[in-house]
Amino acid sequence: MQYGTVTGRFLAAVGDTATDTDRNPDEVPLVGKVTFTADLPKGRALQVVGQKATILPVPITCTLDTQGYLVQNGVRSVNLIATDTDETNPRDFTYKVTFTGLTYAGTPVSYGPFSIAVPAGQTIDLSVVAPVTSSNGVPIIRGEDGRTGAPGADGRDGRDGKDGLPGVNAIANDDANATLIATPGTATNSALASFGMSAPPISNRAQLITYGHSFLAEQGLADASRYWARRLAKALGLTYPTSDGGAANDLKRAIGGSSIGDTLGRVGGATGFGDPQVPRWVPGTKALVVLQCLMNTLRLRGATDLDLRSATNYGRAMLAILSASEIIDDSDPRITKSTGTAWASQTSGFPLNGSSSYNATNGAYFEYTVPSNRDAYIVTLSRGGGTAGVIVDITDQTAGTVLVSGLDLSNQTISASGIYAWRTPASARGHVVRFTKTGGSALNIDAVLPVSLTPPPVLWMKEPYLANYAASTQFPNGSDAAVNSFNAIVDLLAAEFSNVIVADPNQFGYWDKTTDILTSDQVHPNEKGHFDLARTGIDAIRAWQTRKALALV
């Protein structure tokens, strides 16, 4: 069983007392209890894959010590069953964190619950991941500017100052990411409103590339410059809509009506969607990738277990492609296949590069030597609901250890079949990792995706709430609750991929479902809606850059 670790410290800021010499608010440690509860459907338990065992996760309660630190059994941390391991079913669940009895010096304090993912082998600091609203304060109305006074006399030159900290756009030791986003030094609203700003020649600029549904496919507005992706690109000085200045927008790879499965197919270059084919993603492309691809999926059938699991698998595979240093195809000699029984080729399941290799014989295997300085995603094939998938053992041949026993790739997708990406653990770097078929249907190898050391930034826009989900007969099962369930997938995957920037339009002060939607169809954003989505995106990017500069991500 794999585990993750959670830490945290909680303080109250209270009025200054005479116990110190300054006049600043005092930071007083809180005392109380913190409880972690696995957020599973009612009546569900965790099944240990490959073992005859079922875990009934009960709430785990910790305390805060005299310094405000999270403590269990005298240790300032708590270990929890990992939420992203293939050893449990369901996979990719979350923990609900609740606080009770919080006080400082006997004075009660309230703090609302929130949910977290706990990746295997990682330490999560609650002080960092706890949600913070952008502002709930009272707005201040600014009066008109007064008249300009007479200029004063020039002052004397001051002494040279010390060197400042690295700026947000030039993050120390992270030049690769810093060059991919060039943020102008203007306020967010001013940057978005300004369309006359100068920009470097197209050939010298990074691109903005979109994948997803109609919110990025530019439907509904008379003025194309008002779509949110174009506003974002203009504010950031990125090339969009075209890579060569021509009329065709080859950087807009979003198509109306798309699901997350369709989006994955286009990122990977698969065919057969009945839509115009778009250029596949090429590793090493200098671009900000923009995703918005969950709205149609969540409204199609609602937030069922299979739909959420399928969307999570598709999202992980999509990000693995976008974050890869290269795509190693199934025919590459670096992927070694077992001999004795023949391997065949197939095109179903939307594999990368159009085909994958498979073998239906128990004991068949393929293996790959993981790079010594990074992880890799091994891409195989899973099956849909009601269809038996392959059962595999995943082993570290170099260390002689079992990484996963009895991984069942049944019931992983809402399609008949689909690609499934599995990430090698850090312990397997430089080692030979083998997938061996032990049962079920055929074993597939589609590709291997080594994680790039300098992956491109990916802005994933969460889905905004709609005022009337019943307005669509094609996608009739949406709800605010379904939006929340699918948007949680974005947070989950962002914890796995450090290059993902999460933009949440539903946070306070951004999207307003009563004023941001076209009255004609009650689904697509109007001009104000696109403006609010653009504000959400650029603010998320700037916050992400600041966190990187402060070494918080």
Side-chain angles (χ1 to χ4, degrees):
M1 185 68 65
Q2 298 185 61
Y3 302 89
T5 302
V6 179
T7 63
R9 190 185 187 197
F10 298 88
L11 306 172
V14 302
D16 183 49
T17 63
T19 58
D20 53 32
T21 59
D22 62 42
R23 300 189 64 251
N24 300 321
D26 293 337
E27 296 178 351
V28 181
L30 292 173
V31 297
K33 296 180 179 180
V34 183
T35 301
F36 301 86
T37 305
D39 201 357
L40 301 172
K42 187 175 181 180
R44 291 288 299 275
L46 285 176
Q47 178 184 11
V48 181
V49 177
Q51 300 182 29
K52 294 181 179 179
T54 298
I55 298 176
L56 302 178
V58 298
I60 296 176
T61 299
C62 302
T63 59
L64 301 181
D65 66 13
T66 57
Q67 298 300 312
Y69 286 97
L70 181 77
V71 173
Q72 184 192 46
N73 299 328
V75 179
R76 287 180 171 176
S77 66
V78 59
N79 289 348
L80 301 175
I81 296 174
T83 58
D84 64 344
T85 174
D86 291 315
E87 297 176 348
T88 61
N89 182 25
R91 189 185 189 276
D92 300 321
F93 60 97
T94 58
Y95 286 97
K96 185 177 182 180
V97 185
T98 54
F99 300 82
T100 55
L102 290 181
T103 63
Y104 72 91
T107 303
V109 177
S110 63
Y111 190 30
F114 56 91
S115 295
I116 62 170
V118 182
Q122 296 189 26
T123 298
I124 303 299
D125 186 348
L126 293 180
S127 306
V128 175
V129 302
V132 179
T133 57
S134 57
S135 173
N136 283 315
V138 178
I140 299 174
I141 300 175
R142 177 182 174 181
E144 295 182 1
D145 292 337
R147 289 179 297 176
T148 302
D154 293 338
R156 290 179 298 176
D157 292 338
R159 291 178 297 177
D160 291 339
K162 297 180 180 180
D163 292 338
L165 294 173
V168 172
N169 296 330
I171 300 168
N173 300 321
D174 197 13
D175 292 338
N177 272 317
T179 58
L180 294 176
I181 300 179
T183 310
T186 56
T188 299
N189 287 359
S190 298
L192 291 170
S194 171
F195 289 93
M197 57 192 297
S198 61
I202 286 177
S203 60
N204 297 332
R205 288 154 54 193
Q207 301 172 338
L208 184 146
I209 298 177
T210 65
Y211 291 99
H213 54 59
S214 56
F215 289 19
L216 290 172
E218 304 187 343
Q219 296 180 207
L221 299 186
D223 185 349
S225 69
R226 303 299 184 180
Y227 289 114
W228 81 263
R230 298 201 186 204
R231 288 179 178 270
L232 183 70
K234 191 71 174 182
L236 298 177
L238 301 176
T239 297
Y240 186 85
T242 64
S243 62
D244 57 7
N249 187 0
D250 59 319
L251 301 179
K252 183 188 72 177
R253 302 175 187 177
I255 296 177
S258 295
S259 66
I260 188 173
D262 298 332
T263 305
L264 166 61
R266 295 189 184 99
V267 169
T271 59
F273 296 103
D275 296 317
Q277 191 67 21
V278 299
R280 62 173 295 175
W281 173 256
V282 178
T285 300
K286 184 181 180 182
L288 167 66
V289 181
V290 176
L291 302 176
Q292 193 174 18
C293 52
L294 290 169
M295 180 64 81
N296 295 322
T297 303
L298 72 87
R299 293 188 301 148
L300 182 62
R301 304 195 318 176
T304 70
D305 286 349
L306 181 58
D307 283 81
L308 292 170
R309 183 163 58 252
S310 176
T312 302
N313 290 335
Y314 286 167
R316 177 176 290 108
M318 180 166 55
L319 292 175
I321 297 169
L322 293 171
S323 304
S325 59
E326 62 176 320
I327 298 176
I328 301 176
D329 194 54
D330 60 291
S331 59
D332 192 290
R334 285 174 287 180
I335 301 174
T336 303
K337 305 182 186 74
S338 59
T339 58
T341 56
W343 287 77
S345 178
Q346 68 176 22
T347 58
S348 62
F350 303 120
L352 304 180
N353 293 331
S355 65
S356 65
S357 299
Y358 72 94
N359 193 316
T361 305
N362 282 348
Y365 67 84
F366 63 83
E367 59 187 25
Y368 168 76
T369 302
V370 182
S372 60
N373 61 343
R374 69 190 77 182
D375 300 337
Y377 284 88
I378 297 177
V379 182
T380 182
L381 193 68
S382 63
R383 295 293 180 180
T387 305
V390 67
I391 300 174
V392 298
D393 284 348
I394 306 175
T395 54
D396 183 332
Q397 295 297 107
T398 305
T401 58
V402 176
L403 299 175
V404 180
S405 176
L407 174 62
D408 189 346
L409 294 182
S410 308
N411 301 311
Q412 296 293 329
T413 170
I414 59 173
S415 303
S417 59
I419 64 174
Y420 180 94
W422 183 84
R423 183 167 184 153
T424 59
S427 62
R429 292 180 181 179
H431 295 189
V432 176
V433 172
R434 175 181 292 185
F435 276 51
T436 303
K437 169 179 160 58
T438 60
S441 59
L443 173 68
N444 278 262
I445 172 58
D446 184 10
V448 174
L449 307 171
V451 177
S452 173
L453 298 178
T454 56
V458 178
L459 175 70
W460 194 328
M461 180 68 69
K462 289 184 175 182
E463 301 300 343
Y465 299 135
L466 302 182
N468 182 11
Y469 294 95
S472 172
T473 57
Q474 181 180 3
F475 301 103
N477 291 312
S479 65
D480 285 359
V483 170
N484 290 338
S485 294
F486 277 86
N487 279 346
I489 295 172
V490 182
D491 294 322
L492 178 72
L493 294 175
E496 183 175 337
F497 294 86
S498 62
N499 57 318
V500 172
I501 308 164
V502 179
D504 186 0
N506 299 316
Q507 62 184 310
F508 178 79
Y510 291 87
W511 177 267
D512 184 345
K513 68 180 181 181
T514 64
T515 61
D516 283 2
I517 302 173
L518 289 171
T519 56
S520 58
D521 63 21
Q522 301 183 61
V523 174
H524 295 95
N526 57 23
E527 186 170 321
K528 179 179 178 298
H530 277 283
F531 182 83
D532 287 341
L533 291 175
R535 282 197 307 122
T536 305
I538 194 169
D539 282 356
I541 289 172
R542 286 177 172 167
W544 179 77
Q545 288 180 302
T546 301
R547 286 171 61 82
K548 288 184 74 65
L550 298 174
L552 296 177
V553 294

